[in-house]
Amino acid sequence: MTKQDFSTLKSNSLPGSDDITRIQLKNGITFLFRPNMSSMTASIGGYIQAGSIYDPLEKLGLADFTTSTLMRGTQTQSFQEIYDSLESIGASLGIGCGPHTSGFGGKALAEDLPTLLNMLADVLMNPVFPKKDIERVRSQLLTGLDLRAQDTNSMAMLEFDKLLFKDHQYQYPSDGYIETIQALQVKDLAAFHQKHFGPKDMTLAIVGPFESESVISLAEEHLGGWLNEVQAEAMKVPDMPSPENSVQIHHAIAEKSQTDLVVGTIGPSRNWDGYYSALLGNSVLGQFGMMGRIGDSVRNEAGLAYYAYSSLSASIGPGQWMVSAGVAPENRDKALDLIKTELRKFVDQPITPEELQDVQSNYIGKLPLSLESNAGVASALLTMEQHQLGLDYLRNYEKMIREITPGTILEAAREFLDPDRLVISSAGPES
Amino acid sequence: MSLLETIPSVFLDNGLEIKLKEIRSAPLISSWVWYRVGSRDEIPGKHGISHWVEHMQFKGTEKISPDEMEKSVARSGGVWNAFTYLDWTTYFETMPADKIDLALELEADRMVNTTYDEKEVDSERTVVISERQGRENSPGFWLSEALHNAAFRIHPYNHVIIGDQVDLESIQKEDLLGHYKTYYSPNNAVVAIAGDFEKDKMLQRITELYQDIPSGDDPPRVNRPEKAQRGEHRLTVEGPGETVLGDVAYHTPSASEPDFFPLLILDSILSGPQGLNMFGGGGITNKTSRLYKRMVEDKEVVVDIHGGLPATIDPYLYSLNFILHPNSTTEDALKILDEEIQRLQDSPPQADEIKRAVKQTQALFAYGGESITNQAFWMGFSEMFASYEWVTSYLDNIAAVTPDEVQQVAQQYLQPKNRIVGIYHPHKKGNSNQ
């Protein structure tokens, strides 16, 4: 039997400069829009320069606490009124905190976009941090920290970050610690909001079945008038060298069945020249197929773990390049040895042309899948804006991926990965 | 792309059911093969075998090695995965439309030709045990396992899908192979495909790939219906940590029973809307649901609460899961929960509460419909416990629910004698919790 081609749509119209609108609203907010006339829904997303790197040391968790309380009440709406408006029309809106930015995302049926934007503007611009609501959120955050302390994966990552990013802002958890969350006051949240939330360096993206004029006018109406003269400038974070030697830590949590293991080092930032080489190389190492070479070795051949993969976390500042695995406590060191062996191989020899072809095809082929929904397109627009990738980034993507070679991947691997200079963190039963 | 379009099934001579839906929004195709086998088909000593067989389905056939299997899908830019549930096991690939043929061939091949190599069985044993141990790290897993054991004394829904460790240690290659040969046959399967293709051409290809696979015997079914519960069960699970978790589960009818739709509205009113989306689409928050408002906001007895009413072949459970507020007690939380249930039993909900639930359902359908993978999922999923008409008439059935019907199902099913209350207590808090 011969392979058949079922496709009837011979070209896929990827978003690009001719169908993405990018303008500055009156107050400087960068606004991105891409129409999707066949859709019945609207997706919105965006970010503000108000992440956890702005937390003072004695107030770790402040950005996270602040974003968690923006929807607890505004000058004109109570918490219940806010959610009543959203949930009664089947809409959703959420605000969360990352290291550099606080991000928001929402969706609604297309006819309800004005309600969604109105709500977004109100909670971003006019939160009042009601005392009673703050205490309620505090209880929820503290419970979250109790659960985190029992979560082997979270604790392994927490210890990993602490060691990897020693003396750097990234060493601290964005959700803080019990003591810092207990100490935060309403005035701290209000002050953080006043200082960091505003239109400066803010980006808003909308995707849905609209004409650009009408959606621009809606964005102007709801967010174009927002001003904050005291808004702080976005902060830059320093680079971070790789660890000088390997360091290892185990965080004991009693009565757990499995140990979570994280092994890694500093990785590239999103705008590093060799980023795509690192990205494709990482796929060979621990993503492609059933978790790449790491999966082959640790899961398929040794049967040591249900999951064992590598990941590259690259954004504005220094990133992480790491391998994660969940293993039986008695197999931790065996898994660690296998992971180190794969890392050594990865930095010793170039990947094969077949491996390169595999991951190139994978990255090029899966692009349309990530753009299937309005939320997927909105997310792509925000990534393009945040890292200044250009409006034709998605259309240039295939070319960029095709330019990668085994040689550039080896260079990227050697730039960051050294099997003798790793941070090794595990959490699970006493070892 | 209409979500409510009727899709007639086509049956091959060997009994294979095929459902095809053309969607021309992107050059993608999502292909699913569903088998009517899940943890409900397992007997003691073999708990977890359906899920383990699912793992073995990635171990290659005579025609294709496991390595090549994984790589061929990935290098085509596709995603694939498999899931084992109470009633079913399913395999899917979503791929660029010009590459889907690879997945079609692969699925037809592994319906009957998977190699059960002794070495692969042994290696996968530790992988499956590792998967279970990973889940054991979560307190909620222990609570759920104990609750299912208590809820079903007779019916095979009594064990968790991943299975018991003792069985995972003792199941042998012959057991796995026997399970595979018993349940993996065209007459026990549904092929559901959605995306950028022409129906006739796709049907011809599916026919070509599957028509020579012989029909199997009708697979045996464990027929052990659960008797009505005669009084509330309460259980506690102890373990490490600081946080008390609660799971209150009521026996409820199967998805094909008329009472299921009023129960969905009840769930939406009490604990927030749930949709049928498995892939993307997102959810709608539940902050204005009655239980969230009263238990989290007004009385602060819990810090979060969610509900769930899974669609199943046999009567299963409506579960309410909460995280206890550190300053509260389980007794206080259950008291408030009972008061809210009593309120619904005493008076029917307002018409606008039902209207809101309908709008929420419409929105969840619209969000989910953006994904071709979801659309193909719905076609096969609904065939496992009812038929695709269950999905296409879902909105109408939700909209037709009356306030009195919601009150009636609250009175009938949400009775203490019909429920299991499970509490996870951290050691240091003890059973009294304070």
Side-chain angles (χ1 to χ4, degrees), chain A residues 1-9 11-12 38-41 72 79-80 83-84 87-93 107-109 111-112 132-133 136 139-140 143 146-147 150 152 254-260 288-290 296 299-306 326-328 358 361-362 365-366 368-369 372-375, chain B residues 24-29 55 59 67 70-71 74-77 79 94 96-98 100-102 104-105 123-124 126-127 130-131 133-134 136-137 196-198 201-202 205 208-209 239-243 281 283-288 292-293 296-297 300 303 323 325-326 356 359-360 363 366-367 370-373 427:
Chain A
M1 283 185 272
T2 50
K3 287 266 185 294
Q4 293 198 19
D5 178 357
F6 292 95
S7 59
T8 63
L9 303 168
S11 68
N12 185 47
S38 64
S39 168
M40 294 154 55
T41 71
R72 295 297 312 196
F79 169 75
Q80 279 298 327
Y83 278 97
D84 193 48
E87 292 179 6
S88 64
I89 56 171
S92 64
L93 178 63
K107 56 174 55 183
L109 291 173
E111 69 261 25
D112 296 320
K132 196 169 170 223
D133 288 74
R136 199 158 292 151
S139 294
Q140 292 168 345
T143 302
D146 283 342
L147 293 171
Q150 285 298 312
T152 47
E255 296 183 60
K256 295 293 174 186
S257 301
Q258 193 168 79
T259 292
D260 273 279
F288 183 78
M290 189 75 85
D296 276 347
R299 174 175 163 150
N300 294 346
E301 283 167 30
L304 290 182
Y306 172 58
V327 295
D358 280 350
S361 306
N362 175 248
K366 70 186 180 187
L369 200 53
E372 212 186 351
S373 67
N374 289 344
Chain B
R24 298 279 160 66
S25 57
L28 296 168
I29 296 177
H55 275 233
K59 294 296 177 186
D67 188 52
E70 290 156 14
K71 288 181 176 167
R75 72 166 69 96
S76 302
V79 294
T94 299
D98 60 344
I100 195 70
D101 200 50
L102 166 79
L104 303 181
E105 273 191 31
S123 144
E124 211 56 24
T126 53
V127 169
S130 171
E131 187 177 351
Q133 289 174 338
E136 288 175 358
N137 274 11
D196 174 29
F197 57 82
E198 287 166 8
K201 191 173 166 188
M202 182 59 81
R205 182 60 171 153
E208 214 173 63
L209 288 167
E242 300 281 338
T243 311
I284 298 171
T285 50
N286 69 341
K287 307 282 197 275
T288 55
Y292 193 97
K293 266 162 86 168
V296 180
E297 294 295 320
E300 296 188 61
V303 294
I323 301 173
H325 192 289
R356 166 196 297 237
K359 172 105 189 200
Q360 289 171 333
Y367 304 147
E370 286 177 8
S371 156
I372 284 170
T373 309
H427 294 310

Side-chain angles (χ1 to χ4, degrees), chain B residues 41-347:
Chain B
D41 299 298
E42 296 168 353
I43 56 171
K46 303 288 181 281
H47 287 173
I49 195 168
S50 302
H51 171 254
W52 191 347
V53 164
E54 176 223 298
H55 275 233
M56 295 307 296
Q57 288 295 87
F58 291 81
K59 294 296 177 186
T61 67
E62 281 182 16
K63 205 164 134 189
I64 183 165
S65 71
D67 188 52
E68 188 51 27
M69 208 180 232
E70 290 156 14
K71 288 181 176 167
S72 60
V73 175
R75 72 166 69 96
S76 302
V79 294
W80 72 331
N81 210 335
F83 309 98
T84 306
Y85 192 56
L86 301 166
D87 299 327
W88 43 259
T89 307
T90 186
Y91 303 80
F92 87 94
E93 296 82 20
T94 299
M95 302 180 70
D98 60 344
K99 304 279 174 49
I100 195 70
D101 200 50
L102 166 79
L104 303 181
E105 273 191 31
L106 186 154
E107 290 300 352
D109 186 27
R110 71 174 169 180
M111 179 177 275
V112 283
N113 295 323
T114 297
T115 312
Y116 278 73
D117 178 82
E118 196 80 52
K119 190 169 156 275
E120 295 282 17
V121 169
D122 283 343
S123 144
E124 211 56 24
R125 182 189 309 282
T126 53
V127 169
V128 175
I129 288 173
S130 171
E131 187 177 351
R132 180 182 159 102
Q133 289 174 338
R135 291 181 195 193
E136 288 175 358
N137 274 11
S138 157
F141 173 83
W142 293 113
L143 182 57
S144 173
E145 185 171 54
L147 189 131
H148 280 82
N149 292 162
F152 298 99
R153 192 179 66 78
I154 302 168
H155 193 280
Y157 286 160
N158 63 0
H159 62 279
V160 289
I161 294 161
I162 187 83
D164 296 313
Q165 172 125 358
V166 64
D167 294 353
L168 299 177
E169 284 167 358
S170 65
I171 288 170
Q172 297 301 314
K173 180 187 125 174
E174 293 69 30
D175 302 318
L176 293 163
L177 193 55
H179 198 74
Y180 172 55
K181 286 188 178 298
T182 304
Y183 293 100
Y184 284 62
S185 60
N187 50 308
N188 196 41
V190 176
V191 171
I193 307 177
D196 174 29
F197 57 82
E198 287 166 8
K199 259 187 207 170
D200 290 348
K201 191 173 166 188
M202 182 59 81
L203 181 59
Q204 190 187 344
R205 182 60 171 153
I206 297 297
T207 306
E208 214 173 63
L209 288 167
Y210 284 92
Q211 65 186 352
D212 294 333
I213 300 177
S215 177
D217 293 337
D218 285 342
R221 299 293 172 195
V222 179
N223 184 18
R224 291 172 60 83
E226 193 67 30
K227 296 285 184 194
Q229 197 170 293
R230 290 172 174 270
E232 183 181 83
H233 292 326
R234 289 208 177 201
L235 63 94
T236 56
V237 173
E238 289 190 31
E242 300 281 338
T243 311
V244 179
L245 307 176
D247 191 344
V248 180
Y250 295 86
H251 288 278
T252 44
S254 70
S256 54
E257 292 293 321
D259 280 350
F260 194 76
F261 286 95
L263 279 163
L264 280 174
I265 294 285
L266 173 147
D267 172 38
S268 186
I269 291 169
L270 277 183
S271 57
Q274 59 172 329
L276 295 174
N277 303 335
M278 191 160 183
F279 296 87
I284 298 171
T285 50
N286 69 341
K287 307 282 197 275
T288 55
S289 65
R290 287 187 179 191
L291 289 176
Y292 193 97
K293 266 162 86 168
R294 187 89 195 291
M295 297 179 76
V296 180
E297 294 295 320
D298 296 346
K299 296 293 179 185
E300 296 188 61
V301 288
V302 301
V303 294
D304 199 9
I305 183 158
H306 282 281
L309 179 67
T312 49
I313 293 176
D314 291 329
Y316 187 55
L317 300 169
Y318 170 47
S319 294
L320 293 163
N321 297 276
F322 61 80
I323 301 173
L324 194 72
H325 192 289
N327 298 333
S328 184
T329 65
T330 50
E331 289 72 22
D332 284 347
L334 291 171
K335 180 170 168 283
I336 306 295
L337 185 141
D338 284 342
E339 284 174 8
E340 277 306 311
I341 287 171
Q342 187 68 51
R343 185 155 79 93
L344 198 55
Q345 289 167 336
D346 289 347
S347 44

Side-chain angles (χ1 to χ4, degrees), chain B residues 345-389:
Chain B
Q345 289 167 336
D346 289 347
S347 44
Q350 302 293 311
D352 66 345
E353 288 182 279
I354 295 194
K355 201 172 143 199
R356 166 196 297 237
V358 172
K359 172 105 189 200
Q360 289 171 333
T361 307
Q362 284 170 338
L364 285 168
F365 256 99
Y367 304 147
E370 286 177 8
S371 156
I372 284 170
T373 309
N374 248 341
Q375 296 242 21
F377 163 77
W378 289 339
M379 286 197 296
F381 168 66
S382 50
E383 288 291 322
M384 291 299 105
F385 55 85
S387 70
Y388 188 51
E389 284 64 46

Side-chain angles (χ1 to χ4, degrees), chain A residues 167-348:
Chain A
D167 303 325
H168 191 283
Q169 289 99 316
Y170 286 177
Q171 72 181 292
Y172 306 113
S174 63
D175 46 359
Y177 295 103
I178 286 177
E179 315 78 73
T180 57
I181 295 298
Q182 277 172 337
L184 288 171
Q185 305 292 314
V186 170
K187 63 179 185 205
D188 297 319
L189 309 186
F192 186 87
H193 176 263
Q194 175 69 15
K195 188 173 175 188
H196 296 288
F197 279 73
K200 198 188 295 176
D201 298 319
M202 172 179 165
T203 297
L204 167 69
I206 298 182
V207 181
F210 314 106
E211 299 295 340
S212 64
E213 291 76 16
S214 65
V215 87
I216 290 170
S217 145
L218 262 182
E220 284 286 9
E221 179 191 335
H222 293 292
L223 282 152
W226 187 16
L227 297 173
N228 180 1
E229 289 172 5
V230 296
Q231 188 185 355
E233 295 295 328
M235 191 165 88
K236 288 202 169 120
V237 292
D239 285 340
M240 184 74 209
S242 298
E244 288 176 11
N245 304 296
S246 282
V247 281
Q248 184 162 359
I249 188 167
H250 180 75
H251 181 90
I253 308 178
E255 296 183 60
K256 295 293 174 186
S257 301
Q258 193 168 79
T259 292
D260 273 279
L261 174 65
V262 184
V263 183
T265 184
I266 295 293
S269 70
R270 183 64 179 76
N271 279 331
W272 183 61
D273 286 347
Y275 169 73
Y276 295 98
S277 295
L279 184 72
L280 263 57
N282 178 62
S283 180
V284 173
L285 178 64
Q287 294 274 330
F288 183 78
M290 189 75 85
M291 300 177 284
R293 291 180 179 182
I294 298 280
D296 276 347
S297 167
V298 181
R299 174 175 163 150
N300 294 346
E301 283 167 30
L304 290 182
Y306 172 58
Y307 76 88
Y309 63 91
S310 67
S311 58
L312 196 64
S313 168
S315 186
I316 293 170
Q320 295 154 314
W321 200 340
M322 58 197 172
V323 177
S324 308
V327 295
E330 65 275 17
N331 288 332
R332 184 193 62 185
D333 292 344
K334 214 185 284 180
L336 180 57
D337 286 345
L338 291 174
I339 290 166
K340 282 184 180 171
T341 302
E342 288 305 323
L343 289 175
R344 209 170 292 284
K345 201 162 80 182
F346 189 60
V347 296
D348 279 351

